[in-house]
Amino acid sequence: MTTSKYQESIKDLASTDDAKKLKALRFIKNSVIGNKTKKDLYIQLGVVQKLVEYLTLPDATSYLLKIQAATVLGSIAYGKDENVNEVVSAGAITPLLDALALRPNVPVIEAIREKRKLLEAVTRALKSIFTCPRTPKDDIFTEKHIADLVALLDATSTYLCQQGQPSATSESLSFGMIAEFTAAVIAKCCDTQEQQMQLASAGVIPPLVNLLHSGHVKAQEAALDALATLCRENSELGEIIIHAKPIDSNQLTTATMLDFVRDKCPNMRLIAATCLTNLYRTGIFIEPFTDIVLVVLPALVKLLKDPANDIQERAPLVLADLVKDSEDMQKAAYDADAISRLAELLAGVSSKDNDEDSEEPIGVPGVGSVAKRKEKVRENTLIAIAAATLLKEECRSQAISSKVLPHVVTALQSKYPHVRLAACQCAKSLSRSVSNLRTSLVDAGVAAPLLKLLQDESIVVQAAACGALCNLTLDFSPMKKSVIDAGAIDRFVEYSRSNDSKLQLNGVWALNSLLYKADLSAKKAVMKSLTYDALIELLHEPNPGIQEQALEIVRNLVCGQQEDIEDVIEGIGRDDLLDVLECKLQVTSNMGLEGEDSTTMISILEPALYIVTNMSSSSEEPRTMLMSRPNIVNSVIHHLSHESPKIRVAAIWCIINWTWINSDHDEDALVERINRLQALGVEQKLQAMEKDPSRDVRDRVRTALDQLTSIDT
């Protein structure tokens, strides 16, 4: 058949003969379904705009035409974001949503029956359109459209729920599809908390819960997916969902979801596990909710070995969500052998960057190349390993013994930026290990590709590589030398001046890591590039994270011998340095921070107090300099009563070093300092701290009291 036949069908759409138009629509439908080439051809021939015009015709006179038009639009939109953009640009969303309106003043089920084939075609098309993440959601959230969606979902879910067992009748199957597609649209329209709350306020949760009991598998999956997105990071809706019950049962929704986690269908198990994970992450379950560890976590681990559809692509991300930021869940993942399973999955997709001819059944058949689907599995598995190894040393040890490192190193060199990013995150988590495990990373060759990624085309990847290098260079001398020899200092300094806040923070953090336990030559090399003027600017940054890392830089610079301290005093300037410390330590100061809170205060106070401690650790002159500022002395004493034991310990260390004698020549100055501290009530404060709940505080207090009372003043 030649192209002219397709052009002829477009011409027939403008015919005055409805039969001819209907025939043309059916020809177009049969041409485009499952055929990407024909879809592109018809888009070029301008069919989309004509189809949208058909949707605006009245149901009474154009019912069959509208069904075919909606079906073709849905087919064109399916599976390709560029096609969705064409459909959206032609203005298809509003007339499709308008077509959901039911005839008023008749029973709602009857109104659905009157146009169920049209509703089926329209909801299917809307699902295809809203599957694209870039599709604008505004039209959904008009009062009329959201009410029509909820009314349709409510009526179909109630009908299906009351049926009990699914029926094979045309009507039952049609209602099941309408409910499924409507729930799928809702699942794609919960990007923000505002959207979640609008949908919940419109009454969407009860019909979704009913749909879980419909017996229609695809509709149940869509309902679970919608509930999962509604409760994501939303504890208010999570509470509503876990206490919801269907019209035909007293079973709580969480119990229903747990039943689905045990289902024979892998996709159902994964969606149910996702929903329960999202609910768990909101913190609404009364701890311990043992079913998460005993049912959900093992189900996710088992799904990692399931090659069906895109299960191996999605399951690692759900597992990552479940365990991230939780030592308990990461320990449970370790016990469940999750990290070993992730390592196996990573090994299985890390053979080649371009394995187009592979027969391995990974990902969604027909969607992208095998290589690209493998890379998605690879990316998500690396993200999961990063999450599972972030906090627990035994988890990192398990990952390294499972031989993930060669695959991480290979992934750092992937041509796909998202894979490189995930590999950086993984390297960062693994590099939090104790020094012997960090040696394994260096031996595996992780340093060279990370250093190369400091020049990556993606700023996000640069920042992530920088973050990983921060951990690797910390307290690891060979790595420090490699980084410095590779010229990375200048790159980190460049980052420290970036307008990108994440990149700037990681740059300052990397410089701080290089300075940790560094010798004087390394310190001089860093400060030659950074300069003390730039350091002073960083100390006054509005971003508290930058301030913290800049203070940590000063803390590391003044850690060491007298020469180290003198270098900093000369570089920053005596009065400027004292001004900074006075500002950061003062109780009444807001430190120039935006959105100050107690956590921020601690993150600033701790390094500031340790700067005072380190400066007071060697010679007499810096001690005298610090105590020449009454505000610094008074602030240190005040922080002996701080609510955080970390700050109390840091303040005690200041007192210990102020009352420490280096030689007999310093005794007169020491007596003067002790007399001053006694007059300020320090001894009484320390005595009151002898029963402090923190053992570390109690141990340091004894040392401080011994020194404070050891010399006859």
Side-chain angles (χ1 to χ4, degrees), residues 280-281 322-331 391:
Y280 170 76
R281 293 290 304 173
L322 183 60
V323 304
K324 69 181 179 185
D325 306 326
S326 168
E327 285 198 30
D328 290 342
M329 287 308 302
Q330 286 169 33
K331 176 65 167 63
L391 301 175

Side-chain angles (χ1 to χ4, degrees), residues 33-91:
I33 288 178
N35 192 319
K36 295 178 182 179
T37 305
K38 295 298 188 298
K39 289 179 186 181
D40 292 342
L41 172 63
Y42 271 110
I43 288 171
Q44 292 168 11
L45 292 173
V47 76
V48 175
Q49 191 62 56
K50 296 182 186 302
L51 295 171
V52 171
E53 290 168 8
Y54 272 37
L55 290 175
T56 62
L57 298 172
D59 286 0
T61 57
S62 308
Y63 180 70
L64 295 176
L65 294 175
K66 291 177 75 169
I67 292 172
Q68 295 299 320
T71 303
V72 176
L73 279 173
S75 177
I76 288 174
Y78 179 75
K80 190 174 179 182
D81 288 355
E82 291 80 2
N83 289 5
V84 173
N85 292 337
E86 292 286 344
V87 172
V88 171
S89 299

Side-chain angles (χ1 to χ4, degrees), residues 424-443:
C424 287
Q425 292 167 343
C426 199
K428 182 178 178 180
S429 284
L430 293 172
S431 63
R432 291 166 64 101
S433 300
V434 292
S435 58
N436 62 313
L437 288 184
R438 280 214 300 275
T439 304
S440 301
L441 269 83
V442 176
D443 291 347

Side-chain angles (χ1 to χ4, degrees), residues 238-254:
E239 285 281 1
I240 294 171
I241 289 168
I242 66 169
H243 292 108
K245 295 178 182 178
I247 56 172
D248 65 342
S249 166
N250 281 322
Q251 181 167 299
L252 287 174
T253 304
T254 45

